[in-house]
Amino acid sequence: MTLNDNTEIVHSETIETNGHEQVKVVIEKPVVGGFHSATCWLPEYKWENINGFSEEEIKYFQDYLASIAHIIMQLAREGGFEGGLDNASNF
């Protein structure tokens, strides 16, 4: 998805790690000379590789992801928007 400030949020398909389902979410915001970026693992909300984003921005993204994590997790299980559109009523 693309936010109003051109920040891109993308996610992986579900990844099985030690018997637990995870989804990798990558956030990138274009800036002069490159990108700010960060990775968050759902459902743990484990942040890593934070480059350029302030603590306040990460808090905003944490809250935002918390509000849509159930949708991201379902889309990751079902193959993204194209795979999940058939089951959109489950959101």
Side-chain angles (χ1 to χ4, degrees):
M1 76 183 74
T2 303
L3 304 182
N4 289 339
D5 66 353
N6 292 321
T7 298
E8 296 277 338
I9 301 176
V10 298
H11 65 81
S12 68
E13 294 181 358
T14 54
I15 301 166
E16 288 290 325
T17 305
N18 299 323
H20 298 285
E21 181 180 72
Q22 292 184 307
V23 175
K24 181 180 181 179
V25 178
V26 177
I27 301 171
E28 290 186 336
K29 179 180 180 177
V31 295
V32 175
F35 291 89
H36 289 176
S37 61
T39 300
C40 181
W41 289 91
L42 298 179
E44 295 87 5
Y45 298 95
K46 178 185 171 202
W47 288 91
E48 62 185 23
N49 302 323
I50 299 170
N51 297 303
F53 287 122
S54 68
E55 287 183 32
E56 184 176 310
E57 288 171 310
I58 294 298
K59 169 76 169 95
Y60 169 81
F61 292 129
Q62 173 82 20
D63 292 344
Y64 186 73
L65 289 178
S67 74
I68 62 169
H70 63 289
I71 297 170
I72 292 173
M73 295 296 291
Q74 184 168 348
L75 289 172
R77 286 183 200 111
E78 297 174 355
F81 279 109
E82 290 189 20
L85 284 179
D86 293 337
N87 298 314
S89 62
N90 294 330
F91 297 135

